Amino acid sequence: METQLDPMKDDLPLMANTSYMLVKHYVLDLDVDFKSKVIEGSIVLFFETGSQYKKTSSAGKESCQSQFDETCKMRASEPCHIPMINVSTCSSKTEYNDFAVSGTEEEATSDENSNHSNNEQASGISSSKDCCDIENHGNKDFLLILDCCDLSVLKVEEVDVAAVSGIEKFTRPVKLTGASKELENLRNQIVHELVTLPADRWKEQLYYFTHCSQAPGCGELLFSTGTWSLEIRKSGIQTPADFPHAIRIWYKTKPEGRSVTWTTDQSGRPCVYTMGSPINNRALFPCQEPPIALSTWQASVRTAAGFVVLMSGENSAEPVQLREGILNWYYYVSMPMPASTFTIAVGCWQEVKQQSFKQTAAIETNTVCSLPSSQTDSRWHEGVCGHVEYPCRFQNPAARLQAVIPYRVFAPWCLMESCEEYLLQLIPQCLSAAYATLGTHPFSRLDVLIVPSNFSSLGMASPHIIFLSQSVLPGGSHLCGTRLCHEIAHAWFGLAIGARDWTEEWISEGFATFLEDIFWARAQQLSHDEIKGQQELKALLRWRRLRDEVQNSEEELQVLRPKKESTGELSESGASVVKYGLKAEKIFMQVHYLKGYFLLRSLARTIGEVSYLASLRKFVVKFHGQLVLSQDFLSMLLEDIPKQKGSGLTVESIFQNWLDTSGIPKPLLEEGETWKECQLVQQVSGEVTKWIQTNRRIRKSSKKKMKQDEVVFQQLLPDQLVLLLESLLEEKTLCPKLLQCLERTYRLREQDAEVRHRWCELVIKHKYEPGYGDIERFLREDQAMGVYLYGELMVNEDAKQQELARKCFAAAQEHMDASSAKVVAEMLF
C-alpha cells in the first residue's frame, strides 16, 4: 500500500524502475473532448531491457551510471516529410505513403512543411541471456512500474508486433513452431531490432513504429494503479528480458488531473494545455519520469474542427479531416528527451502573421553566417558527439549555418495585434543573438504560444515550443524580449542538456537567467558600456530579490544541491526522488534562478567573459543530448582554464560556497556594493532623492497646490523604474498627491508587468485607493506574478484591502493554477 504524501512538504517520487526496462518510444493516439474535459485514447510503449541487465548482479551499485554515457557515432540527416497518419488502433486499412521500407538506405526527401534535421534515435542495449534477475527471486512475477497519477487506466495489453506486414526483416532466422514462448521471444526481438536501428534509418523506424502501434493486442496484462504509479505484470514472467517489450495502455485523463489545465483563453474560448507542474506529465499519460529515461515519441491528436493542436514536434503539423467536424493532428520527435518535456496545447489559437517581412528578411540575411569565432576556428563538428546516436543538428552543415530557425506565433485573436507589434519582430532578433552566443540551434523549428491568463509563470520552454504569459506583452519590448531570451536559452540548457537529477534545477534556470542578459544585449545591438550598465543594474535588482527571498523562506529550500553527494544517485531499480518537489511554496521561489545566475556571473568575471563564453560553447558541443550534474560543468570549466587552479577555485570550493549551503553565498556578499557605482543606478538614486524631497515639501505645504514645474524628473528605462519603485517602497510614508504625480510622470499603468507589480505594492502599502483598480486588473490579468500581492493585501489588516483580495480571488479561483490557488487560499482564509 502506497504511503500518502503531504504535497506541502514531501519529496516527489519518481517510481519507474528504469534500470530494468527503459521506454525508447511512445506512440500516443488521443481524443480531446472539451465537453467532458477528458483526453482519452491509448499509448503504446516500446521498451528495451534496462542497464541492470547488461551487468552481473554484483554491478548493482553502478546502476546510476547510465548507458547513455556511451559514446555513439552520429550521422546527419536531410530534411524530410513524414506523411500524415491516422494512428488509430481500430483502423487496419489506413493508407500509408511508402518510404524506406526496403532494407536499402534511402535518401530522405525535403519538404517545406517539415523542418526536420535533428532527429535522434537511442542506441539500444542488448539483453544478455545469462544476466541475473536482480529485482526478483524465486517464482515472483516481474513488476513493471510506470509513473502515473490522476489517470483512469482501462486496459493494458501486449501488442502483437509480429503481425505487422513486412516486419520479418527485423527477425533473425528462427524456426517457428508456434510455441507461445518462441512467439514472445520473437516479438521482443522485433522491438529490440526496431529501437536499435541506426540513425540514418530514422524514417523507416518511424514508419514501423506507426504500424506496430496499430497491431492487434495478443493478451491482456494484469495491472494496478496507486497514487503515483501504474504497476503491470504478466503471469509467469519473472525477468524484464522476458516481459513484453511492446504494450498498449488504454486510459482517460481526469478533469482535475494535475498535468493539464482546462480553462478558457483570453477570448473566452475553451482550451487545454500542459502546465509543467511538479508532477510533470504523469497525469497526461503513463510514462517513465526519471530524467534518465530518454525517449522519442509520436502522437495523433483528434479534436473538433476550429481547434489548433500545438505540440513538441519536429514537424509543423497540418490537420487532416477524418470525418465531418473532426480533425487529426500528427507530430513526432526523434531526439530522445525526458517524458517531462512533452508539451501539448489545444485551443482556438490564431497564427500571427507578419504584415511586412522586410525586417525579418534583413535580420536573417545579415546573421546567417555570423558564426561564433570558436566555431570557425576549431573543427569540433567533425568529431564524434557524446550522446546516443541520432541525426544531430550539430553534425549537419546546413543547421550549423542557420542563425534563425523557422518560427510561428500563436495567440487568442484578441491578442494578435499585441503579438504583431512586438513579439513577432523580437523572435528573429533573439534567435540570432542566441546563435551568435552558443552556435547551432538544438531544435529545427519554434512555435511561440501566448497561453491563458491563469498560466502560473512568465514562460515555459519545451522542445520546439515556448509558452509565454500574456503579462510579457504590455509596456514595450523589454520584458517580452528578456523573457523570450530566457526561454530560448533553455533550448540549450534544460532541454538539449538536461540535469541528471531534477533537484539540480539551477543547471537549467541559472544558465537561462545568465544567458538572457547576454542574448538580450546582443539582440539590442548595444555598445560595450551600455551592456555593462544594463547588466550591473540587473545584477543589483536580482541581488535585492535574492536578499528578500533568503530572509523570507525556509533555509532548506535555499540549497541548490540539497542531496549533496547523493545527487544523481538512483535506487537499484532506477527510482529516485525530487527533493522537496511537492512543496507548494517552492514553485514561487527563484533562489535556483538567482544563486545559479550569480555563480555563473562570478565565474565569468573571474575567468573573463570572452574565455568564459568560449568555454560555454565547448560545453554545449561536448554535452548536448546528454544529462549532466553540476560537477560535469564545473570540472570541464576549470580544466579548460588551468590558470584558475592556482587561485584556489575548485569544484569543492564552489560546492561549499554556492551550491551546498543556504543563504547568500559569501563571495556575493563582498560584491554587492559595487553595482551601486553603476551610472544607471546612480541616475535612479538621484531621482529617488528628488521624489523624497518632493514628498516632504508636499507634506509641509499640504494646503498649497504642488506645481508640476517645480521638479524635472528624468525618463527611466524599465529596470530603472523597478529600482526606483523598490527604493520608494522603503520610505515609511508617501502622501497620495505624490503617488498620483508618480503614476502620471512615468505613466505607470502603461508599463510592463514588473513595473506595475511594484506600483501595486506602493498602492497597497500606502492604502492609495485611486490605485485599487490597478491591483484588481493586475490580479486578473497577471496571475503569474500576482500571488505575492494577495499576501500584501492581507498583511496590512485593512478591511477594504482584504475585501479586495477576497473579491479578486473569488473571480479568478475557478481557473487559477492549482498550486497558486492553494497558496492564496491559505493567505486569505
Side-chain angles (χ1 to χ4, degrees), residues 576-735:
S576 61
V577 298
V578 182
K579 199 76 175 162
Y580 312 124
L582 290 175
K583 276 197 170 242
E585 65 268 36
K586 189 170 184 289
I587 297 165
F588 305 103
M589 291 184 64
Q590 292 194 310
V591 68
H592 42 288
Y593 292 73
L594 299 171
K595 284 175 80 169
Y597 154 79
F598 279 117
L599 167 56
L600 297 174
R601 190 176 189 276
S602 172
L603 291 170
R605 284 166 59 85
T606 304
I607 291 165
E609 188 168 289
V610 174
S611 298
Y612 181 69
L613 290 178
S615 292
L616 268 193
R617 288 193 290 271
K618 288 179 186 174
F619 181 73
V620 164
V621 168
K622 181 175 180 181
F623 284 103
H624 69 274
Q626 298 176 72
L627 302 170
V628 299
L629 296 174
S630 297
Q631 52 264 42
D632 295 320
F633 168 68
L634 296 172
S635 298
M636 178 178 164
L637 184 70
L638 296 181
E639 283 168 18
D640 205 37
I641 319 283
K643 64 181 180 183
Q644 295 306 323
K645 292 185 177 177
S647 67
L649 196 61
T650 63
V651 173
E652 291 71 27
S653 69
I654 292 169
F655 279 170
Q656 189 176 346
N657 286 325
W658 291 91
L659 303 180
D660 290 355
T661 52
S662 60
I664 293 180
K666 286 177 186 175
L668 187 54
L669 287 170
E670 299 158 13
E671 196 182 358
E673 292 299 311
T674 60
W675 305 310
K676 293 178 183 176
E677 307 305 315
C678 159
Q679 187 182 346
L680 293 179
V681 175
Q682 291 283 331
Q683 193 178 352
V684 174
S685 299
E687 298 303 293
V688 170
T689 302
K690 290 180 196 174
W691 283 107
I692 292 171
Q693 289 170 349
T694 303
N695 186 53
R696 287 177 191 151
R697 219 166 31 246
I698 295 173
R699 292 179 65 190
K700 283 179 184 175
S701 56
S702 56
K703 292 180 183 177
K704 296 178 185 177
K705 199 164 186 180
M706 179 186 156
K707 293 178 184 176
Q708 288 291 329
D709 58 352
E710 280 182 13
V711 185
V712 177
F713 296 103
Q714 294 185 42
Q715 288 302 304
L716 299 175
L717 298 169
D719 281 339
Q720 287 181 300
L721 278 176
V722 170
L723 183 58
L724 174 88
L725 298 177
E726 285 187 2
S727 302
L728 291 176
L729 270 165
E730 294 167 5
E731 291 300 304
K732 191 173 182 182
T733 310
L734 296 178
C735 59

Side-chain angles (χ1 to χ4, degrees), residues 66-109:
S66 152
Q67 65 266 40
F68 295 109
D69 292 343
E70 295 178 347
T71 299
C72 303
K73 192 173 179 183
M74 327 275 307
R75 296 182 183 88
S77 164
E78 296 297 315
C80 71
H81 176 64
I82 292 294
M84 200 60 58
I85 299 169
N86 170 16
V87 195
S88 168
T89 49
C90 304
S91 60
S92 56
K93 295 187 178 179
T94 311
E95 291 296 317
Y96 292 82
N97 288 357
D98 238 355
F99 57 91
V101 289
S102 69
T104 59
E105 294 172 5
E106 186 173 291
E107 282 295 316
T109 55

Side-chain angles (χ1 to χ4, degrees), residues 160 191 195 272 327 335 350 372 389 408 437 486 529 606 672 698:
D160 187 9
V191 174
V195 300
V272 62
L327 297 179
M335 173 179 176
Q350 307 283 317
E389 185 182 3
R408 303 181 300 179
T437 308
H486 182 98
D529 288 344
T606 304
I698 295 173

Side-chain angles (χ1 to χ4, degrees), residues 13 67 122 155 200 221 235 306 413 508 517 536 594 652 751 790:
Q67 65 266 40
K155 184 170 82 168
D200 55 3
L221 302 176
S235 187
W413 69 264
S508 174
D517 292 357
E536 291 194 348
L594 299 171
E652 291 71 27
Q751 297 292 341
Y790 281 106

Side-chain angles (χ1 to χ4, degrees), residues 742-813:
L742 185 71
E743 195 284 316
R744 286 179 179 168
T745 300
Y746 301 115
R747 301 170 73 175
L748 294 176
R749 293 188 173 108
E750 299 168 29
Q751 297 292 341
D752 69 37
E754 292 278 12
V755 176
R756 287 185 287 111
H757 188 280
R758 273 63 172 194
W759 165 241
C760 289
E761 288 181 73
L762 274 173
V763 168
I764 293 169
K765 178 171 180 176
H766 300 292
K767 301 177 184 176
Y768 180 61
E769 292 191 24
Y772 284 5
D774 299 332
I775 296 171
E776 196 169 339
R777 175 194 158 202
F778 196 93
L779 293 179
R780 183 178 66 250
E781 296 179 4
D782 301 288
Q783 293 182 32
M785 301 172 66
V787 171
Y788 176 79
L789 292 181
Y790 281 106
E792 292 296 292
L793 286 166
M794 299 306 291
V795 165
N796 257 349
E797 296 186 354
D798 177 86
K800 281 189 178 177
Q801 289 191 3
Q802 292 185 347
E803 184 186 349
L804 177 63
R806 293 192 177 103
K807 174 187 167 187
C808 292
F809 183 59
Q813 182 178 8

Side-chain angles (χ1 to χ4, degrees), residues 35-139:
K35 287 181 182 174
S36 61
K37 295 186 177 177
V38 163
I39 299 173
E40 179 178 5
S42 68
I43 183 168
V44 178
L45 295 81
F46 294 89
F47 292 92
E48 183 66 312
T49 311
S51 58
Q52 284 281 17
Y53 280 76
K54 282 194 73 184
K55 308 179 179 84
T56 61
S57 57
S58 64
K61 292 177 184 175
E62 300 167 17
S63 63
C64 64
Q65 183 63 37
S66 152
Q67 65 266 40
F68 295 109
D69 292 343
E70 295 178 347
T71 299
C72 303
K73 192 173 179 183
M74 327 275 307
R75 296 182 183 88
S77 164
E78 296 297 315
C80 71
H81 176 64
I82 292 294
M84 200 60 58
I85 299 169
N86 170 16
V87 195
S88 168
T89 49
C90 304
S91 60
S92 56
K93 295 187 178 179
T94 311
E95 291 296 317
Y96 292 82
N97 288 357
D98 238 355
F99 57 91
V101 289
S102 69
T104 59
E105 294 172 5
E106 186 173 291
E107 282 295 316
T109 55
S110 176
D111 185 283
E112 62 187 6
N113 284 329
S114 178
N115 310 302
H116 179 103
S117 53
N118 67 321
N119 291 285
E120 175 175 343
Q121 287 175 316
S123 65
I125 308 303
S126 302
S127 54
S128 170
K129 289 181 181 176
D130 61 357
C131 67
C132 302
D133 179 3
I134 301 167
E135 186 177 55
N136 299 301
H137 301 280
N139 295 319

